Amino acid sequence: MLSCCSVRMFLFAMGFLLVILQPSTGQFPRVCANTQNLLRKECCPLWDGDGSPCGELSNRGSCQNILLSQAPLGPQFPFSGVDDREDWPSVFYNRTCKCEGNFMGFNCGECKFGFSGLNCTERRLRTRRNIFQLSTTEKNKFLAYLNLAKNIPSQDYVIATGTYTQMKNGSNPMFRNINVYDLFVWMHYYASRDTLLGGSNVWRDIDFAHEAPGFLPWHRVFLLMWEREIQKITGDENFTIPYWDWRDAEDCVVCTDEYMGGRHPTNPNLLSPASFFSSWQVICTRSEEYNSQQTLCNATSEGPILRNPGNNDKSRTPRLPSSAEVEFCLSLTQYESEPMDKMANYSFRNTLEGFADPRTAISNISQSGLHNALHIYMNGSMSQVQGSANDPVFVLHHAFVDSIFERWLRRHRPMLEVYPAANAPIGHNRENYMVPFIPLYRNGEFFKSSRELGYDYEYLQEPALGSFQEFLIPYLDEARQIWAWLVGAAVIGAIITALLTGLILVCRKKRQRTSSEIQPLLIESEDYNNMCYQSSF
């Protein structure tokens, strides 16, 4: 086993070798964060491959008006026109790139998740693995990648440091640079921050990434984007996020210097100096300060990562989640239930998120179960929603939460219509675009199996499919969406076949009686088979 010193030298060397600036995916595209684009409310950058907006000359996409969902929202947010995130991203842009086929990205320069190749026609399936199943080299490489992301600037994206009003409706852009890791911390903050109402007034009952149906799809996209950025800045196309299976764990087994950082020897709220995570600075953790000043987090460093696992309020979270609680959650048949927020009962989403009791599925906001339990248990930076992504344990945790979501999808095989189309809290309807992602993603687009999005989990893997079966997957999924119609068509087809069969038999008997010299049996048999084949098909 490598010593702490040799591990740190390895990580430093990896980081040094990998510092090559690459594009990243996230919030405001740098090329659109200027007065001209904001006043025109258009973000349709050129694709370098052909020099045209959205790669239109190569049929990759085109600049189009954004089509916003008109479905009614729930009652949780009783305002309109006061928050930049309403009808995302229309406050900033109402024209963006609409990509065709398997192309994706703010300029249609990338492939959709699960596809690769020059023309994005090659399907690819990667596997996320248990962090404790990684070899020492693989684990150290993962840690080096994390540290690299924390120290390399995002080349394609910037963050907003002011509201649209503070930007004087676009005439005074307020953006700044940010490193790749903190870009994702900021996005998590921005999606969950309070609404600034002016003066010292705020509205707290709003969250575009939590406490509603979009919780699981939103974090699924978040992890996919984060994973892709690591692949880009390192050149490691095979990289996947590892997960921490915390079921029945007695304590934070990843909280060691060998993995995500141990406890400081003299200050239990800090990380061990033997871990390079101890030198990381957090951002976006002072929500009350931002609210009182009516400002946004500007990604200024706010101190070290805090973590004191297990010394949390035991009356709220007595222990880490159990296997039995996960299994009960998976048995729930409803993805969502009214009122589609943290008060929902018998909701798989609300139970997995942790606002409902993992033994009864009844809402109980005085307790924190499953997903929430882990955040509370970590007792530090991870325990405050807006800044929780500062702690790198966040990605391990949410990868495992996503795997539970995946197990539920595979077990219950819901149609897209199961995801609420209307009356969910703001930003959470099926056709709403997720805040604050550009390129744009709708909630419903990620309410499907991870295999369709190009990844699987090691402990969920099924026998490898043949190439023909892989080819059929998208068509079978489309058929599943119209299953009710197919069943009805099959019933009607069976009735028609029965009627035709009866008609043929009657005709056959009549012909046998009228002419014994004519022998049409072979012809009739062929006609009958052809008719049956067409009806059955």
Side-chain angles (χ1 to χ4, degrees):
M1 183 175 294
L2 295 172
S3 68
C4 287
C5 181
S6 60
V7 168
R8 291 171 71 87
M9 290 180 64
F10 171 83
L11 297 177
F12 175 80
M14 287 291 294
F16 178 78
L17 291 172
L18 292 170
V19 176
I20 301 172
L21 299 183
Q22 296 283 343
S24 66
T25 303
Q27 228 270 320
F28 291 91
R30 185 183 299 276
V31 293
C32 298
N34 56 67
T35 300
Q36 181 181 5
N37 285 92
L38 289 172
L39 293 179
R40 290 172 57 192
K41 298 179 78 71
E42 181 177 292
C43 185
C44 295
L46 305 181
W47 176 54
D48 291 340
D50 64 12
S52 68
C54 313
E56 186 169 8
L57 293 178
S58 300
N59 297 316
R60 298 177 79 94
S62 58
C63 189
Q64 295 189 17
N65 293 333
I66 295 171
L67 299 178
L68 298 172
S69 171
Q70 300 302 313
L73 301 172
Q76 292 85 354
F77 187 69
F79 305 97
S80 179
V82 299
D83 194 309
D84 292 346
R85 299 167 296 177
E86 296 177 53
D87 289 326
W88 180 261
S90 62
V91 169
F92 296 96
Y93 310 109
N94 54 32
R95 283 175 62 80
T96 61
C97 287
K98 184 179 188 304
C99 304
E100 302 296 334
N102 297 327
F103 298 115
M104 189 183 80
F106 66 82
N107 63 354
C108 301
E110 300 182 3
C111 297
K112 283 184 177 179
F113 301 116
F115 289 89
S116 61
L118 187 62
N119 295 309
C120 301
T121 55
E122 302 169 17
R123 282 191 169 270
R124 185 160 189 173
L125 187 68
R126 297 179 177 89
T127 302
R128 292 179 180 172
R129 300 168 59 198
N130 188 319
I131 192 169
F132 293 114
Q133 298 301 315
L134 302 181
S135 67
T136 299
T137 300
E138 290 170 330
K139 181 261 297 178
N140 288 340
K141 185 167 65 173
F142 167 62
L143 299 180
Y145 288 176
L146 282 171
N147 207 37
L148 175 64
K150 187 72 171 180
N151 290 283
I152 189 171
S154 170
Q155 291 299 289
D156 278 5
Y157 282 86
V158 291
I159 62 168
T161 58
T163 66
Y164 192 65
T165 298
Q166 291 167 348
M167 294 186 197
K168 298 181 180 178
N169 299 330
S171 62
N172 179 39
M174 298 173 66
F175 300 97
R176 68 165 289 180
N177 297 322
I178 194 166
N179 67 62
V180 172
Y181 188 93
D182 285 349
L183 173 66
F184 286 86
V185 176
W186 189 91
M187 287 194 292
H188 191 267
Y189 147 79
Y190 190 81
S192 56
R193 69 174 179 84
D194 301 330
T195 294
L196 306 178
L197 295 175
S200 59
N201 299 315
V202 297
W203 185 262
R204 300 181 189 277
D205 191 15
I206 185 171
D207 195 315
F208 290 84
H210 305 86
E211 302 180 17
F215 166 68
L216 293 167
W218 191 96
H219 285 84
R220 172 163 281 194
V221 173
F222 181 88
L223 292 179
L224 281 167
M225 293 171 64
W226 192 90
E227 199 168 58
R228 176 165 289 189
E229 289 322 299
I230 298 297
Q231 293 164 3
K232 286 181 184 178
I233 64 175
T234 63
D236 184 354
E237 295 184 354
N238 296 315
F239 170 77
T240 55
I241 299 171
Y243 58 87
W244 171 29
D245 183 350
W246 34 248
R247 292 173 297 181
D248 304 314
E250 295 294 331
D251 53 32
C252 181
V253 290
V254 297
C255 297
T256 66
D257 289 337
E258 185 181 0
Y259 287 93
M260 310 310 291
R263 200 185 301 269
H264 193 283
T266 60
N267 186 339
N269 294 315
L270 298 178
L271 301 185
S272 163
S275 168
F276 61 73
F277 292 124
S278 65
S279 66
W280 279 26
Q281 291 285 301
V282 301
I283 64 170
C284 303
T285 62
R286 301 174 180 172
S287 57
E288 293 307 313
E289 180 180 312
Y290 313 143
N291 288 347
S292 64
Q293 297 176 2
Q294 294 286 294
T295 60
L296 300 184
C297 165
N298 62 8
T300 299
S301 296
E302 297 174 348
I305 294 174
L306 301 178
R307 188 198 299 159
N308 190 351
N311 290 323
N312 56 289
D313 180 0
K314 295 297 193 298
S315 65
R316 184 176 187 86
T317 304
R319 53 175 172 74
L320 289 170
S322 68
S323 296
E325 290 169 338
V326 171
E327 290 304 316
F328 174 78
C329 182
L330 287 167
S331 72
L332 299 171
T333 58
Q334 293 186 85
Y335 176 75
E336 193 56 271
S337 63
E338 295 287 349
M340 294 188 271
D341 56 22
K342 59 187 175 183
M343 302 305 296
N345 295 325
Y346 307 112
S347 156
F348 165 75
R349 186 276 312 163
N350 203 37
T351 304
L352 178 54
E353 189 169 0
F355 293 108
D357 192 308
R359 297 162 298 180
T360 64
I362 300 297
S363 173
N364 183 358
I365 59 176
S366 68
Q367 301 287 305
S368 293
L370 296 180
H371 156 265
N372 287 349
L374 201 290
H375 279 277
I376 299 299
Y377 178 88
M378 298 307 288
N379 193 33
S381 299
M382 261 190 79
S383 306
Q384 191 248 11
V385 176
Q386 296 178 17
S388 59
N390 277 293
D391 191 328
V393 172
F394 179 97
V395 293
L396 305 180
H397 169 46
H398 272 275
F400 190 65
V401 171
D402 182 73
S403 78
I404 298 173
F405 176 36
E406 181 62 21
R407 289 181 66 189
W408 187 86
L409 289 171
R410 295 186 190 186
R411 178 179 297 190
H412 299 280
R413 299 185 178 277
M415 296 177 66
L416 178 59
E417 288 71 21
V418 167
Y419 188 98
N423 301 314
I426 185 171
H428 288 265
N429 282 341
R430 186 193 308 155
E431 297 301 314
N432 287 151
Y433 291 116
M434 299 183 191
V435 175
F437 303 136
I438 298 176
L440 305 178
Y441 305 109
R442 297 184 190 273
N443 290 305
E445 293 173 3
F446 293 84
F447 190 71
K448 59 184 176 183
S449 172
S450 68
R451 291 178 64 88
E452 295 179 53
L453 298 169
Y455 71 100
D456 200 354
Y457 287 93
E458 188 174 41
Y459 81 110
L460 301 182
Q461 282 187 324
E462 300 169 354
L465 297 175
S467 58
F468 181 67
Q469 288 174 291
E470 289 280 8
F471 171 78
L472 284 178
I473 284 177
Y475 301 100
L476 293 173
D477 289 328
E478 289 181 12
R480 182 166 56 85
Q481 298 298 325
I482 56 171
W483 181 249
W485 181 88
L486 290 174
V487 171
V491 171
I492 294 173
I495 294 173
I496 293 174
T497 300
L499 291 174
L500 289 174
T501 301
L503 181 62
I504 290 171
L505 291 174
V506 171
C507 292
R508 182 185 297 172
K509 289 181 180 179
K510 287 185 178 180
R511 289 181 182 179
Q512 286 176 341
R513 288 197 300 267
T514 56
S515 177
S516 60
E517 296 179 359
I518 300 174
Q519 299 179 6
L521 293 179
L522 180 59
I523 297 175
E524 283 190 2
S525 177
E526 290 173 349
D527 288 345
Y528 172 71
N529 287 334
N530 288 338
M531 216 171 289
C532 287
Y533 174 75
Q534 292 166 4
S535 298
S536 298
F537 183 79

